[in-house]
Amino acid sequence: MAEPTPRAPHIIRVHQLTKSFGSLTAVSDVTFDVQRGETFGLLGPNGAGKSTTISIIVGAMEGDGGQVEIDGRDIREGASVRRLIGIAPQSLALYDVLSAERNLVFFGSLYGLTGARLSERVDWALKFAQLEDRRRDLVKTFSGGMKRRLNMACALVHDPQIILLDEPTVGVDPQSRNHIFECIERLKDDGRTIIYTTHYMEEAQRLCNRIAIMDHGKLLALDTLDGLLAEFGGAAVVTAGLVKSPTDASILPAALDGLHLRFESKQPLEEVSRLATRGVAFATLNVAKPDLESVFLSLTGRSLRD
Amino acid sequence: MRTIWLMALKDLKIVRHDKVGLFFIIGFPVLMGVLFGAISNSFSSGGDDVHFEIAVVDADQSAISQRYVKALEDSGSIIVRPPTDPNAAIEAQREQAINDIRKGDLLAFVGLPEGFGETAGIMWMEGPAIELGVDPSRSAESGMLQGILMQAMGQLVGDRFADPDSMRPMIEQSRKDIQENNDMNPAARALLSGFMGTLDTFMGSLDELNSGLDDAGEKSDRPTMQLANIRAVDVTAPKQENDLTSRIHSAWDISFPSAILWGVLGCAATFAVTMVRERSQGTFYRLRVAPISRAQIVAGKGLACFIAVICVNLMMVALGYALGMRPNSFIFLALAIASLAFCVVGIMMLMSVIGRSEEAVSGASWGANVVMAMFGGGMIPLAFMPPFMKSISHFSPMSWGVLALEGAIWRGFSLTEMLFPCGILIAIGAAGIGAGVMVLNRATD
Ligand SMILES: Nc1ncnc2c1ncn2[C@@H]1O[C@H](COP(=O)(O)OP(=O)(O)O)[C@@H](O)[C@H]1O
Ligand SMILES: [Mg+2]
């Protein structure tokens, strides 16, 4: 049997990346690898350094220090590496006075698409952006959400292996947002490698295999969702209203406040069923499992939503 | 190259949507060209305010030469000063006129050579050259004067051919003169005798003559439809004859180079703005991450600007031609236009890095444009500029553009003479591109 061609297990390697703007350190010693076919999340509040990191990865900006390798090569090596990458920048990057179609044709051609392949991809991208019936309209006549979708479509028109989406859902209505998620999931199933930055934990939670948490230019933690929750999520919070106070208050994990009970637990459901078998009757019950919000809180002492 | 072409095409499409830019690139120059031309036209054909006082030294003393002097006076802008002593020898009259010019008493003198009447207005005959000596300090008027000389000659042509019937008595008279005058040059006699016969075939041959028009710049034995053969006389050094034959065929020759300037400056500013817009709208980001080089990005922008400048020039030349502008040499004109376009690309590159926002670049560019145009002949044609402005104009790249265009259109430059302004234009272009690219390469965002 023929040996499979050896391929680096990591399609993107970022090593000790650093970038400052004057006295401000936007990215500080950031190191991570992205595996082939993985959806990798960069989660952090505004100003965390996500976009700067992305810009250095795609070669739009030079880092002050550190290395970036794409498929084993330096991004500065040229066209063949760049062709692998599709990026939807956070700030819209479209020609306002050209039509949706012209934008896609132009960007597609820049990546070497021509003829039937080009029109096929442009059609695909228009469908992706749900702009088939507006294809000949100028971009300046579009709504914010339409522009966002087109901005993403321009990143995908040349069918890249590596896709970087920098906060692609900002300013998008919920319906479009769902459509975008579905599309990303399809790209995932297709085996594309995706880096997705966001400051919405729900998005990272829903889409990403692994999530890196960034703040103030530093990468604070990197793991799967479950790994992050297990390590940094802390206990779940259970709040309950009891029908009546139990005769033996010592079986309760916390003191009662009237009929209200509030306690933290790593195994909240087990704890609740233990109480139930001991005859505690619940009128209301709420289990708040830890999420990325609590992970971020425990890592930084601040809320992600600030 | 495909990438550069793609980039350029995209920019041209974008500029098509830029209404203000388009106005300055197309509308404004057309307006300026036609307006200036029309003003100069009325100026040289009957404007009451301007009168050029000249002396005519008529060595021919024929009916035709007198008609010609009358046509000059009829133009409305010329006052012919009668000679102080009409009976003085021609050479003395000429001396006197040159002296008057040198003293600043007289703008110019026109010398009609012997034999003028035999060939003047007959287009297939290249007659002896009309002498024109103009006060060098009033060279601004020289162009207009040449235009008037042409026009008067045109009238002569018209008189001779437009209405042959009315010319018959004159021709009969001439025949009689020929027969009565035994001193007459036999060649002239034969010529005038054959005149009536030739008249019929004239219209037919006119087309053929017209086709020789474009080669008017070349010296050839073949008669060309050059209305008047004017030989400039350097009045400061009367012994030395300046052989430069100036050929202003119409006021459009003067107005169009200036007007073209506005168009090309419009291109520079408009494309400079598309360059910053590329940054402000974020598309520069996409271009930088795409598998294309910075050089291709810059070249694409430059090519778009270059093409636009060429288009503006072609449009203006076509319009000028339709109105009556007759470039001396189309090859030199192409050379001038290409050099100018390259220069404009450099200016555009510089403008594009002046500021970071569209407003800043657009404001600064148009400010620079107005200054460059003012001193480069975009507002007042170089030919009509006061001397102090003219000396400043050397610092405006646009004055070299005008010089190159004029060199090809009516100054009758030789190739070496053309290479001078064209070389300067190309040098400015190269410097601008170099500086622009350097600044651009430092930009990181
Ligand atoms: N071109 C720039 N010049 C100066 N400061 C910048 C520039 N780009 C980003 N920054 C700063 O760097 C920090 C990180 O920005 P960014 O990477 O955009 O964060 P994020 O994408 O996570 O919101 C911010 O404080 C931002 O103000
Ligand atoms: Mg960002």
Side-chain angles (χ1 to χ4, degrees), chain A residues 21 24 26 44-53 61 90 166-167, chain B residues 445:
Chain A
F21 298 107
L24 177 101
N46 285 327
K50 307 183 294 293
S51 297
T52 307
T53 306
M61 203 184 264
Q90 177 175 8
D166 196 355
E167 312 227 15
Chain B
D445 63 322

Side-chain angles (χ1 to χ4, degrees), chain A residues 215-237:
Chain A
D215 192 32
H216 293 312
K218 290 205 174 64
L219 204 145
L220 301 177
L222 167 57
D223 207 337
T224 58
L225 176 62
D226 291 339
L228 286 173
L229 292 177
E231 192 171 352
F232 304 104
V237 177

Side-chain angles (χ1 to χ4, degrees), chain B residues 26-39:
Chain B
I26 296 172
F28 201 57
V30 168
L31 216 67
M32 294 289 284
V34 173
L35 210 68
F36 264 140
I39 289 171

Side-chain angles (χ1 to χ4, degrees), chain A residues 55 58 60 79 82 87 89 92-95 97-98 102 106-107 109-111 113-114 151 154-155, chain B residues 2-3 6-7 10 13-14 17 277-278 281-283 285-292 294 444-445:
Chain A
S55 292
V58 299
R82 287 171 180 259
I87 172 159
L92 293 171
L94 300 166
Y95 293 104
V97 296
L98 298 183
R102 283 242 179 271
F106 174 66
F107 290 120
S109 329
L110 278 191
Y111 284 82
L113 297 185
T114 50
N151 194 45
C154 286
Chain B
R2 178 176 169 270
T3 305
L6 279 171
M7 300 272 310
K10 175 262 303 169
K13 275 179 199 140
I14 286 173
H17 289 277
R277 190 178 299 147
E278 207 77 76
Q281 77 192 348
T283 43
Y285 189 103
R286 273 196 203 284
L287 296 182
R288 260 179 313 167
V289 302
I292 58 174
R294 284 249 178 143
T444 49
D445 63 322

Side-chain angles (χ1 to χ4, degrees), chain A residues 39-54 88-90 148 164-172 177 180-181 184 194-215 225 292-293 296 304-306:
Chain A
T39 300
F40 185 92
L42 265 181
L43 177 69
N46 285 327
K50 307 183 294 293
S51 297
T52 307
T53 306
I54 294 279
Q90 177 175 8
R148 251 312 133 200
L164 296 100
L165 306 171
D166 196 355
E167 312 227 15
T169 57
V170 168
V172 169
R177 183 183 291 224
I180 288 175
F181 289 163
I184 292 173
I194 301 172
I195 296 188
Y196 189 101
T197 85
T198 183
H199 62 273
Y200 298 120
M201 58 156 194
E202 303 88 347
E203 295 184 356
Q205 234 161 294
R206 168 170 174 178
L207 295 170
C208 301
N209 303 104
R210 287 192 307 148
I211 298 162
I213 293 178
M214 271 191 94
D215 192 32
L225 176 62
L292 287 173
E293 177 66 47
F296 190 81
L304 191 55
R305 297 177 201 278
D306 286 346

Side-chain angles (χ1 to χ4, degrees), chain B residues 90-279:
Chain B
I90 292 302
E91 203 41 50
Q93 283 188 31
R94 192 171 178 275
E95 207 87 357
Q96 169 81 43
I98 290 179
N99 255 330
D100 286 350
I101 294 171
R102 232 181 273 135
K103 281 183 283 176
D105 246 14
L106 200 63
L107 170 65
F109 87 92
V110 172
L112 301 179
E114 228 169 305
F116 172 81
E118 290 161 21
T119 55
I122 306 175
M123 282 189 260
W124 56 94
M125 296 292 297
E126 183 149 15
I130 299 174
E131 285 183 313
L132 174 63
V134 184
D135 182 346
S137 71
R138 297 173 69 184
S139 56
E141 284 102 328
S142 155
M144 303 251 294
L145 202 52
Q146 295 193 22
I148 296 168
L149 292 186
M150 295 285 181
Q151 256 179 6
M153 190 61 86
Q155 210 168 321
L156 226 55
V157 176
D159 284 357
R160 285 212 191 202
F161 300 112
D163 192 6
D165 279 353
S166 75
M167 291 297 284
R168 247 178 213 141
M170 197 198 99
I171 291 181
E172 285 308 312
Q173 181 61 43
S174 303
R175 270 196 175 151
K176 250 180 241 155
D177 287 348
I178 295 163
Q179 275 145 22
E180 284 163 15
N181 188 349
N182 287 329
D183 297 339
M184 193 159 194
N185 179 334
R189 192 184 302 168
L191 196 115
L192 284 178
S193 306
F195 180 66
M196 284 301 280
T198 325
L199 198 59
D200 280 345
T201 53
F202 171 65
M203 286 307 166
S205 60
L206 192 61
D207 279 344
E208 198 226 332
L209 286 162
N210 265 330
S211 63
L213 185 68
D214 294 354
D215 314 318
E218 300 169 17
K219 278 270 161 281
S220 77
D221 295 336
R222 203 167 151 241
T224 57
M225 205 180 108
Q226 185 190 318
L227 275 182
N229 186 359
I230 299 174
R231 190 183 66 213
V233 176
D234 189 345
V235 294
T236 56
K239 297 285 174 307
Q240 256 181 324
E241 282 186 344
N242 187 345
D243 202 24
L244 178 76
T245 307
S246 295
R247 298 184 176 90
I248 295 188
H249 293 263
S250 74
W252 311 110
D253 291 6
I254 297 178
S255 74
F256 268 71
S258 312
I260 286 174
L261 272 200
W262 278 105
V264 304
L265 289 176
C267 288
T270 304
F271 282 91
V273 170
T274 69
M275 190 79 173
V276 260
R277 190 178 299 147
E278 207 77 76
R279 290 206 231 164

Side-chain angles (χ1 to χ4, degrees), chain B residues 352-370:
Chain B
S352 74
V353 294
I354 284 176
R356 304 222 123 205
S357 70
E358 275 175 54
E359 292 74 21
V361 167
S362 161
S365 300
W366 279 107
N369 274 358
V370 169

